[in-house]
Amino acid sequence: MGEVTKATIRALIEYIATSLVEDPKNVKVRESQKDNYSVMELSVGSEDLGKVIGKNGQTARAIRTLVNAAASKAGEKIIFEIKE
């Protein structure tokens, strides 16, 4: 298994999001650096927002769990957000 980096975590988010939405062209992941952590912000088309959030936020919570697990393995602190 390869090394986990911020780039692979970003690719994971993009892969999951493009698999869920109707219009994958609108999937974008923006990364910004804060004091001691990174923020990965996912944006999708407005018609696909419900698909990445899921019922009662279950899908968003699952993506956040995967991101946290990968970030932990990479030794990084990453906050995952969905831009509305």
Side-chain angles (χ1 to χ4, degrees):
M1 187 156 206
E3 183 179 341
V4 178
T5 64
K6 283 189 208 178
T8 56
I9 295 169
R10 181 184 185 132
L12 173 68
I13 296 169
E14 288 174 346
Y15 176 78
I16 293 168
T18 54
S19 298
L20 292 171
V21 299
E22 293 290 325
D23 190 4
K25 294 187 311 278
N26 286 333
V27 172
K28 293 183 181 35
V29 179
R30 204 184 93 210
E31 182 181 343
S32 59
Q33 191 67 37
K34 300 292 183 192
D35 295 329
N36 60 342
Y37 61 92
S38 297
V39 176
M40 298 231 178
E41 183 180 77
L42 171 66
S43 62
V44 297
S46 58
E47 65 283 350
D48 287 323
L49 193 55
K51 291 182 175 87
V52 294
I53 293 175
K55 193 176 212 172
N56 296 320
Q58 287 180 326
T59 305
R61 205 169 13 259
I63 297 170
R64 194 167 284 118
T65 298
L66 290 170
V67 169
N68 288 339
S72 176
K73 187 168 174 85
E76 300 281 349
K77 172 81 170 129
I78 296 177
I79 304 296
F80 171 70
E81 296 179 349
I82 298 173
K83 183 177 179 184
E84 295 186 32

